[in-house]
Each structure stands twice: as C-alpha cells, then as structure tokens.
Amino acid sequence: MVNNKVAEAKFEEAATWICWDIENMPIPKGCKAEEISQKISSSLSELNYRGPISISAYGNMNHIQPSVKKALSSTGIVLKHVTLTSRDFSSHISDKLFGCSRNYPPPANLMLIARYEEASPIIFGHWQNYGYNALLAHPPNASDSFLASANTTLLWKSLVQ
C-alpha cells in the first residue's frame, strides 16, 4: 500500500526536513550516493513539494565508505555519527524527530526514511496534531499499520531511482 498523493496546497512551498536512518535504510543497490539528494528532491517535486529540503542522515558513519560519505555530504546531506545499540538508536531518532519542530515550525513537511514500525505512529500522530505533514519512505515489507501512520508514503528504493 503506497500512498504517494500530491501535497496539500498549504504544504507545497513549505520546508521539508528529512530524517534518514542510513544505518537501517542504506542506499539501495544500483543507486549512486551523489544522486540521492537530487533524486529525493525530484520525487518530492513530482508530488508538488517544492519548498526547501534539508536531509540529515543518522547512523554509524564508520560503517560507510569514505567515498560514499564524501558524495553524500557534497550534495548537502548532513551526516550525523551515532553509535548506539539498535534500541537506543531508535530512541535517538525519535528524540530528533520530536525536537525538530524548533527548526521547522508548521506548516512543514517532515519525512522519515526508516523502518521503525513501533515508534512511527506515535511520532507521526504528534506531528499531525501540531500541523505538520508526515511523509514516510519505507522498505518493501512495511506493515499496513506502519504505512497508515503517514499522510504520504513512498517506497524507499523507488524514491531514489
């Protein structure tokens, strides 16, 4: 169930902050790191999201090749080194998502690139209650309840191809 509907008018020119769990949602095979930012921007533009986009990638940067890190950062993606256990990492991302409202007041688009089935409905519910538009880039095996938690859902691999 992919729900890639076009942006509501109030969100078309609004800023979009993307929180990418690069640890658990790596760059898909066949995709070039230096093209990720542009591919995401183009995919969102096709859905009428035309405001400024900021991407922050969180994960253990020691697990990513230096050439890939350089390619990603050269396109404006902010790389955040996080070395935590899987459970702590999920909590860390949740904290970042709840705290993002300071930098992105509503109306704004907040996109999560992740596979956090348990935390996403809570996070997305919070965002939507405060006037945000919740977008989700997800793996192919995501549950219906995970997908239903966001206003717009996109398959991660198709978003960047």
Side-chain angles (χ1 to χ4, degrees):
M1 176 178 104
V2 174
N3 179 20
N4 50 357
K5 60 184 180 182
V6 297
E8 291 180 44
K10 67 182 176 181
F11 295 114
E12 288 180 353
E13 302 297 328
T16 300
W17 179 61
I18 300 170
C19 179
W20 176 14
D21 173 6
I22 197 169
E23 186 91 10
N24 294 299
M25 295 288 284
I27 298 169
K29 289 183 194 260
C31 296
K32 296 180 180 176
E34 61 273 11
E35 296 177 354
I36 295 290
S37 181
Q38 182 57 44
K39 298 271 187 174
I40 291 172
S41 295
S42 294
S43 293
L44 291 176
S45 180
E46 288 175 14
L47 297 173
N48 294 336
Y49 293 99
R50 296 184 298 268
I53 296 174
S54 300
I55 304 172
S56 298
Y58 295 86
N60 186 336
M61 296 301 152
N62 294 329
H63 296 163
I64 299 172
Q65 296 176 354
S67 60
V68 172
K69 289 189 285 192
K70 183 176 180 180
L72 291 172
S73 63
S74 72
T75 64
I77 295 175
V78 176
L79 305 177
K80 302 282 189 171
H81 180 68
V82 180
T83 56
L84 301 168
T85 66
S86 176
R87 183 182 190 97
D88 290 339
F89 185 74
S90 177
S91 294
H92 177 79
I93 294 292
S94 295
D95 289 346
K96 292 294 179 191
L97 292 168
F98 278 120
C100 72
S101 59
R102 289 186 297 271
N103 296 323
Y104 300 94
N109 303 298
L110 304 173
M111 175 182 247
L112 178 62
I113 302 171
R115 56 177 72 236
Y116 300 125
E117 301 252 349
E118 65 284 341
S120 296
I122 296 165
I123 295 165
F124 288 151
H126 172 81
W127 285 351
Q128 292 160 347
N129 287 339
Y130 288 95
Y132 291 96
N133 185 37
L135 297 95
L136 172 66
H138 59 84
N141 57 345
S143 71
D144 287 344
S145 61
F146 184 44
L147 299 176
S149 66
N151 301 91
T152 300
T153 61
L154 303 135
L155 189 61
W156 170 228
K157 190 170 183 177
S158 65
L159 179 66
V160 295
Q161 286 188 324

